[in-house]
């Protein structure tokens, strides 16, 4: 059996607040290979912090503890800052929700992609520019030459997100963590961006961690789904098995969604069992 | 089960209640929370301490003083600091320590009066200009620009030339040039707030523009106002001292700190204490207001809204 | 109850709403669904009087409407905003926020009205003197709903009322909105980008794109995929989850 690409055991992330210690992630463990893994949860479930822990990009006040946090055999817990900086971008990449906030407003988008590429490979500027244009094509942007010279405020949300993806995938990473990458987009644009992600991930044999609050979207896009609640991992399923979810939280979440195919009666409301916050 | 930890004492529990029972209660809970955050900043507490000291000095000057600030004794002029004269005596034999204490009243008075005049005017002008926009905004902002263009001291000189020297005229002169920045700040905040959903909601409920400006917009501008005012105090004190130094503010024998420095200028090399102590007082009080202002800004930070 | 004819709203050079016409009967729940930039929120803002630069015909409860609305108008028609974090004044307690409409309209008996409004939206006296930052997103939206209900309007405009909420909270708020409409016999116009939400609350829905109504249809027809315009069909397909083939077939409609 091949070693997993990412192996996390007993991950804890906590914050010290004036009112005591806040445990945002409590004992999350999972392993993944080169597949599309979805992490689903509502606000406060700890899904974003889990994703950021993979890249060790937590806010300064956060404390991370884990028994194991290994990426492709590399122990991320013991890696030095320099080693982590080298890994980030080159082998581990992250796409966030709103390109408005993750793109540098004073650089052209093409230059930003080129810069991302230059940071991890010794090539000339001209080659980096070529690569950037090539990446813009890979994310299905027509007329990459024209778009290269645009500034972030001149591109739409969907295009901005595609540019982010181009930028993050330019150095050809092994694992991409996408934190709500399509939540700020319209539903048709969402589909287009997901299709691009889908193709790129399969072509390059990458692993993808897809974090979202949208359970049905994640189930239709990913191979496996992790459901988080209150900092804990409450269920792990194959995407196709969503209908056979066991945990009452997952079932409750599915049930309370308004369905296009449903009827008009009252939606069943999720009643939160405090037992879900306890360790299994 | 182990016994529960004893419930916190009445006051503290009441002031940190999760479910306040009245509007006043809610406000006090909020104030207590803010005060708690403030109290964790040692520099801010130092600033607060200095300001409180200034106020106390001003209030009980007669109790702490060593006599009449104007009492002259020419046989004891220019004595160095000693057990009898804590800060020494000036060129007319007056006790500098006593004069500094009484001078605190003048300083505090100037600062308080300026703030009372300047802050409400600036707030009103800025909020109206920002909310109503259009013609009103243009007119009010150009008026603000005109006043902003005057350098403080030059205007004070002009005033004094016209109306004669004196502390009242100094206060008017300072006020006239101090209000424009407040109008600008208030306008900037109002412009940001104008399109918020809660302002739209108030409009939809049927509130007219005056109601919205006074009850909804102005309270939100108060935080920045308070911070700016506190940080400005140092500048106001220095300007008043500057005017006093030039002989345009408080007139002799008034123990205004700036005038004292001016008088001590002539002896600064040999009898340094005549100018140094009032100078030190100005420094410390300015520093105190600055630290307090910084601390308030951290606590009233818009991020926490 | 509401009749809109050839509504046009321009923002400078751009036409945000391009000759939109529709009718809503009393007691009906009418939905407008569209993606961002389609102009759906602008329609609501013109209807409630927040946006005064519109042209066209607008008849609400039999009365022709001009750009400015009277105070009496605001007692009949109210709006719930999208972002619960922005629609409550940050320095006002829930009690103060609910008392505001009563004060503006000179209504008395604040105590009884406020308690009743809170009960109706499922909040208790422990929430009454809290500030917005002490409430969750769902609780804030309930307060926003209580605030509009306290004036006892007949028409409610809802601008993406659950888009900023967690899925489980969304269900509670949708149920609340459903119940209130039934009990008070209100007329709703609901705007959302989420087809499922619109289909759940409304009986009829209009699909909007780039300022125009593409199609208006019964929700029953929508659920049965009996759509006439390709844009609507595409929107339906995209709302049903990710499908690689479907994504391929998506076209940008201008």
């Amino acid at each position: 059996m091949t070693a997993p690409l990412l192996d996390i055991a007993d991950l804890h992330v906590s914050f010290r607040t004036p009112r005591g210690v806040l445990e945002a992630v409590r004992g999350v463990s999972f392993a993944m290979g080169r597949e599309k893994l979805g992490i689903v949860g509502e606000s406060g479930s700890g899904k974003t912090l889990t994703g950021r822990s993979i890249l060790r990009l937590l806010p300064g006040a956060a404390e991370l503890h884990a028994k194991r946090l290994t990426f492709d055999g590399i122990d991320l817990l013991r890696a030095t800052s320099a080693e982590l900086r080298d890994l980030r971008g080159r082998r581990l990449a992250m796409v966030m929700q709103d390109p408005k906030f993750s793109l540098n407003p004073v650089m052209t988008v093409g230059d930003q992609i080129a810069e991302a590429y230059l940071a991890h490979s010794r090539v000339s500027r001209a080659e980096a520019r070529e690569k950037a244009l090539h990446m813009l094509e890979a994310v299905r942007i027509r007329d990459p030459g024209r778009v290269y010279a645009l500034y972030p405020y001149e591109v739409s949300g969907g295009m901005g997100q595609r540019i982010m993806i181009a930028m993050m995938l330019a150095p050809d990473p092994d694992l991409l963590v996408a934190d709500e990458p399509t939540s700020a987009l319209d539903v048709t644009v969402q589909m287009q961006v997901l299709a691009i992600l889908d193709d790129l991930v399969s072509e390059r044999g990458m692993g993808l961690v897809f974090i979202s609050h949208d359970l049905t979207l994640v189930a239709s896009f990913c191979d496996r789904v992790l459901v988080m609640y209150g900092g804990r991992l409450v269920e792990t399923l194959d995407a196709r098995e969503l209908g056979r979810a066991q945990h009452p939280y997952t079932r409750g979440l599915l049930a309370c969604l308004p369905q296009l195919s449903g009827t008009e009666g009252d939606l069943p409301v999720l009643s939160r069992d405090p037992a879900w916050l306890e360790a299994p | 089960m182990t016994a529960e930890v004893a419930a916190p004492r009445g006051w503290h529990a009441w002031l940190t209640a999760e479910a306040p029972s009245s509007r006043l209660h809610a406000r006090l809970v909020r104030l207590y929370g803010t005060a708690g955050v403030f109290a964790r900043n040692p520099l801010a507490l130092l600033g607060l301490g200095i300001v409180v000291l200034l106020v106390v000095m001003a209030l009980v000057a007669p109790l702490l003083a060593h006599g009449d600030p104007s009492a002259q004794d020419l046989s004891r002029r220019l004595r160095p600091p000693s057990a009898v004269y804590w800060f020494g005596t000036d060129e007319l034999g007056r006790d500098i320590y006593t004069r500094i204490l009484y001078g605190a009243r003048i300083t505090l008075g100037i600062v308080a009066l300026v703030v009372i005049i300047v802050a409400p005017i600036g707030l009103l002008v800025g909020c109206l200009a920002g909310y109503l926009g259009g013609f009103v905004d243009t007119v009010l902002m150009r008026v603000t620009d005109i006043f902003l263009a005057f350098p403080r001291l030059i205007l004070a000189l002009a005033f004094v030339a016209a109306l004669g020297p004196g502390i009242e005229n100094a206060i008017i002169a300072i006020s006239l040039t101090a209000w424009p920045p407040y109008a600008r700040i208030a306008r900037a905040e109002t412009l940001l707030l104008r399109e918020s959903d809660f302002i739209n909601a108030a409009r939809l409920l049927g509130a007219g523009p005056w109601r919205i400006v006074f009850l909804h917009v102005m309270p939100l501008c108060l935080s920045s106002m308070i911070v700016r005012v506190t940080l400005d105090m140092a500048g106001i004190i220095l300007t008043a001292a500057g005017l006093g130094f030039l002989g345009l503010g408080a007139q002799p024998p008034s123990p205004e700190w700036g005038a004292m420095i001016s008088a001590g200028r002539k002896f600064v090399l040999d009898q340094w204490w005549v100018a140094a102590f009032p100078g030190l007082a100005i420094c410390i009080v300015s520093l105190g207001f600055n630290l307090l202002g910084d601390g308030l800004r951290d606590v009233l930070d818009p991020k926490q809204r | 109850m509401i009749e809109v004819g050839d509504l046009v709203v321009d923002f400078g050079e751009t036409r945000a709403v391009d000759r939109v016409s529709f009718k809503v009967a009393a007691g009906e729940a009418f939905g407008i669904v569209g993606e961002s930039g389609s102009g759906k929120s602008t329609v609501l803002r013109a209807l409630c009087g927040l946006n005064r630069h519109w042209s066209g015909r607008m008849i609400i409860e039999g009365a022709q409407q001009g750009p400015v609305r009277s105070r009496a108008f605001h007692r009949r028609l109210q709006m719930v905003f999208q972002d619960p974090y922005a629609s409550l004044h940050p320095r006002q307690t829930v009690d103060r926020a609910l008392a505001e409409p009563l004060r503006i309209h000179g209504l008395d008996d604040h105590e009884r009205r406020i308690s009743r409004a809170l009960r109706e939206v499922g909040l208790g006296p422990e929430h009454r003197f809290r500030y917005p930052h002490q409430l969750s997103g769902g609780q804030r939206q309930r307060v926003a709903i209580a605030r509009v209900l306290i004036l006892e309007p007949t028409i409610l405009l809802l601008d993406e009322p659950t888009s900023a909420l967690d899925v489980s909270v969304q269900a509670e708020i949708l149920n609340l909105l459903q119940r209130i409409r039934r009990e008070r016999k209100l007329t709703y116009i609901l705007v959302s980008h989420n087809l499922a939400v619109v289909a759940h609350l409304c009986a009829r829905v209009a699909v909007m794109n780039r300022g125009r109504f593409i199609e208006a249809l019964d929700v029953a027809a929508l659920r049965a995929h009996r759509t006439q315009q390709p844009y609507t069909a595409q929107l339906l397909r995209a709302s049903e989850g990710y499908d690689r083939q479907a994504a391929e077939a998506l076209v940008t409609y201008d």
Side-chain angles (χ1 to χ4, degrees):
Chain A
M1 169 153 131
T2 51
L5 182 64
L6 181 68
D7 194 357
I8 298 181
D10 203 27
L11 177 69
H12 284 264
V13 177
S14 49
F15 293 87
R16 250 180 247 279
T17 68
R19 279 185 223 115
V21 175
L22 175 69
E23 297 228 5
V25 179
R26 315 161 193 227
V28 167
S29 308
F30 65 92
M32 70 178 282
R34 291 174 191 272
E35 59 180 316
K36 297 198 291 272
L37 180 75
I39 305 184
V40 172
E42 298 184 297
S43 49
S45 58
K47 59 190 193 297
T48 298
L49 287 171
T50 305
R52 286 178 173 249
S53 301
I54 297 173
L55 280 95
R56 304 245 6 226
L57 271 180
L58 292 171
E63 292 172 14
L64 185 155
H65 301 283
K67 281 213 192 81
R68 205 167 49 241
L69 182 59
T70 319
F71 168 69
D72 202 17
I74 304 168
D75 185 354
L76 293 178
L77 289 170
R78 278 193 235 316
T80 63
S81 303
E83 286 166 356
L84 285 172
R85 265 202 307 275
D86 176 58
L87 280 176
R88 283 187 212 121
R90 192 171 61 84
R91 301 199 62 200
L92 284 169
M94 183 158 184
V95 172
M96 285 164 280
Q97 176 167 346
D98 203 331
K100 265 204 310 283
F101 300 125
S102 29
L103 286 173
N104 187 336
V106 297
M107 274 174 80
T108 60
V109 297
D111 280 341
Q112 293 187 47
I113 303 176
E115 184 191 28
Y117 189 58
L118 273 173
H120 292 280
S121 26
R122 297 198 187 298
V123 293
S124 65
R125 288 199 169 272
E127 274 184 60
R129 196 197 142 89
E130 273 309 304
K131 177 80 178 180
L133 287 168
H134 176 71
M135 286 308 301
L136 285 173
E137 266 176 34
V139 295
R140 316 238 190 101
I141 288 180
R142 280 183 302 235
D143 202 357
R146 184 188 69 92
V147 174
Y148 188 101
L150 292 178
Y151 283 90
Y153 75 88
E154 294 176 297
V155 303
S156 68
M159 201 178 272
Q161 203 62 311
R162 281 188 274 173
I163 289 166
M164 268 312 282
I165 293 172
M167 189 158 98
M168 288 298 141
L169 294 185
D172 220 357
D174 292 300
L175 179 67
L176 177 68
V177 176
D179 190 355
E180 307 259 20
T182 54
S183 304
L185 305 175
D186 285 333
V187 76
T188 34
V189 179
Q190 206 168 359
M191 293 296 123
Q192 290 165 330
V193 170
L194 285 176
I196 291 168
L197 254 185
D198 196 358
D199 289 342
L200 287 173
V201 165
S202 328
E203 271 167 40
R204 291 156 185 245
M206 279 167 54
L208 173 70
V209 175
F210 191 93
I211 301 173
S212 174
H213 62 275
D214 191 338
L215 185 51
T216 30
L217 181 69
V218 167
S220 54
F221 180 68
C222 299
D223 303 318
R224 271 196 311 146
V225 177
L226 302 177
V227 180
M228 283 187 72
Y229 176 73
R232 290 197 197 283
L233 189 53
V234 295
E235 187 152 21
T236 310
L237 334 126
D238 252 9
R240 289 160 307 195
E241 316 266 298
L242 193 64
R244 279 189 286 232
Q246 300 286 347
H247 196 278
Y249 175 66
T250 320
R251 299 179 75 87
L253 213 55
L254 281 171
C256 72
L257 282 170
Q259 300 288 354
L260 270 172
S261 48
T263 54
E264 281 180 24
D266 264 4
L267 293 166
V269 163
L270 189 69
S271 53
R272 288 154 212 278
D273 188 347
W276 297 341
L277 291 170
E278 304 302 316
Chain B
M1 283 294 282
T2 49
E4 285 192 17
V5 175
R9 278 181 310 138
W11 271 118
H12 181 78
W14 195 73
L15 283 170
T16 49
E18 286 267 313
S21 53
S22 73
R23 250 182 242 173
L24 179 62
H25 188 188
R27 272 204 206 119
L28 289 175
V29 168
R30 191 197 175 100
L31 208 63
Y32 186 70
T34 312
V37 176
F38 182 84
R40 267 176 238 133
N41 183 347
L43 283 178
L45 285 177
L46 177 63
L48 181 65
I50 293 175
V51 172
V52 165
L53 190 65
L54 175 73
V55 172
V56 164
M57 272 168 63
L59 285 177
V60 301
L63 295 177
L64 297 172
H66 289 170
D68 184 354
S70 315
Q72 298 179 14
D73 186 349
L74 288 168
S75 67
R76 297 221 169 96
R77 57 194 297 270
L78 298 173
R79 290 281 171 90
S82 61
V84 178
Y85 297 112
W86 291 359
F87 290 170
T89 58
D90 66 0
E91 73 281 7
L92 293 176
R94 297 176 291 201
D95 178 21
I96 292 179
Y97 165 73
T98 305
R99 285 175 69 75
I100 287 190
L101 279 181
Y102 277 87
R105 290 188 165 181
I106 300 179
T107 303
L108 199 59
I110 294 178
V111 150
L113 278 173
V114 169
V115 163
I116 288 172
I117 298 172
V118 150
I121 294 179
L123 187 61
L124 187 63
V125 167
C127 285
L128 282 177
Y131 189 78
L132 297 173
F135 184 68
V136 175
D137 184 16
T138 313
V139 164
L140 286 176
M141 280 300 109
R142 296 298 82 77
V143 167
T144 310
D145 284 343
I146 292 172
F147 279 95
L148 198 55
F150 283 104
R152 222 172 253 190
L153 278 178
I154 311 266
L155 184 67
L157 282 170
F159 244 67
V160 158
L163 298 171
I167 220 172
E168 302 80 14
N169 296 340
I171 290 177
I172 295 176
I174 298 176
S175 303
L176 278 178
T177 47
W179 72 268
Y182 297 98
R184 284 245 180 121
I185 294 176
R187 177 176 176 271
E189 297 258 0
T190 308
L191 284 177
L192 271 177
L193 293 170
R194 198 168 62 167
E195 291 310 314
S196 318
D197 276 350
F198 59 85
I199 298 290
N200 282 332
R203 270 196 219 129
L204 273 187
L205 290 173
W210 291 98
R211 189 183 179 88
I212 291 181
V213 167
F214 279 96
L215 292 183
H216 295 266
V217 172
M218 274 195 191
L220 289 171
C221 297
L222 277 182
S223 306
S224 351
M225 285 283 126
I226 291 174
V227 171
R228 180 69 197 232
V229 156
T230 323
L231 291 173
D232 251 359
M233 300 261 198
I236 295 173
I237 292 171
L238 288 169
T239 306
L243 290 177
F245 185 84
L246 292 172
L248 301 173
Q251 295 300 298
S254 193
E256 200 264 316
W257 295 345
M260 287 167 72
I261 299 180
S262 176
R265 218 176 0 151
K266 296 189 276 292
F267 323 103
V268 76
L269 289 176
D270 296 317
Q271 287 88 20
W272 52 270
W273 54 88
V274 185
F277 284 108
L280 201 59
I282 294 177
C283 260
I284 291 177
V285 169
S286 301
L287 181 68
F289 275 115
N290 277 337
L291 290 176
L292 179 62
D294 271 345
L296 282 177
R297 184 178 48 207
D298 287 341
V299 157
L300 297 173
D301 195 300
K303 282 203 298 282
Q304 287 176 353
R305 282 191 200 154
Chain C
M1 185 70 142
I2 299 176
E3 186 184 325
V4 172
D6 290 324
L7 182 67
V8 171
V9 182
D10 288 320
F11 287 119
E13 298 274 310
T14 359
R15 181 149 285 197
V17 177
D18 192 356
R19 284 172 318 205
V20 155
S21 308
F22 62 94
K23 286 201 183 86
V24 181
E28 186 186 354
F30 181 71
I32 304 179
V33 77
E35 304 192 299
S36 55
S38 56
K40 53 195 195 300
S41 295
T42 314
V43 170
L44 282 191
R45 292 173 72 100
L47 270 176
C48 70
L50 275 181
N51 186 324
R52 296 182 180 174
H53 308 290
W54 53 269
S55 60
R57 199 177 62 250
M58 204 186 283
I59 303 173
I60 298 181
E61 288 193 318
Q64 274 273 19
Q65 298 297 333
V68 183
R69 304 299 151 83
S70 64
R71 192 169 285 185
F73 174 84
H74 292 306
R75 283 207 67 180
R76 316 285 299 160
L77 185 148
Q78 277 297 326
M79 182 148 120
V80 175
F81 295 84
Q82 170 175 359
D83 188 355
Y85 297 86
S87 60
L88 297 180
H89 193 291
R91 298 286 168 84
Q92 288 178 354
T93 55
V94 169
D95 177 76
R96 171 82 175 79
L98 291 180
E100 182 74 357
L102 298 175
R103 287 209 191 121
I104 294 174
H105 292 265
L107 298 172
D108 61 353
D109 206 2
H110 289 200
E111 181 59 42
R112 186 180 60 88
R113 287 182 201 262
I114 292 178
S115 323
R116 195 172 64 144
L118 284 174
R119 249 196 332 266
E120 195 168 351
V121 297
L123 291 173
E126 69 273 17
H127 298 111
R128 187 163 161 183
F129 294 101
R130 286 202 185 150
Y131 287 97
H133 68 265
Q134 294 169 301
L135 300 170
S136 70
Q139 287 166 337
R140 284 184 224 203
Q141 202 64 312
R142 286 176 200 267
V143 172
I145 295 172
R147 181 174 59 187
V148 302
L149 288 183
I150 212 167
L151 287 176
E152 298 179 15
T154 48
I155 304 170
L156 217 51
L157 305 180
L158 301 153
D159 189 358
E160 307 251 24
T162 55
S163 303
L165 303 173
D166 276 332
V167 157
S168 53
V169 180
Q170 173 176 276
E172 293 169 15
I173 300 294
L174 287 178
N175 288 348
L176 175 66
L177 288 171
Q178 191 85 292
R179 177 167 62 83
I180 290 173
R181 189 171 84 85
R182 245 187 352 246
E183 283 172 8
R184 289 174 174 238
K185 306 207 192 338
L186 299 176
T187 307
Y188 277 4
I189 300 185
L190 171 73
V191 151
S192 179
H193 64 275
N194 188 326
L195 264 180
V197 164
V198 172
H200 182 77
L201 273 184
C202 305
R204 242 183 351 124
V205 71
V207 178
M208 198 163 172
N209 183 34
R210 311 256 172 156
R212 293 210 197 105
F213 271 16
I214 306 289
E215 185 175 356
L217 66 167
D218 281 348
V219 161
L222 186 71
R223 289 189 199 277
H225 285 243
R226 278 198 306 268
T227 62
Q228 294 183 333
Q229 297 292 327
Y231 179 79
T232 316
Q234 176 168 289
L235 202 60
L236 248 185
R237 224 164 342 151
S239 306
E240 285 167 340
Y242 175 72
D243 182 276
R244 187 68 189 76
Q245 275 83 5
E248 203 56 41
L250 289 174
V251 176
T252 313
Y253 285 92
D254 269 328

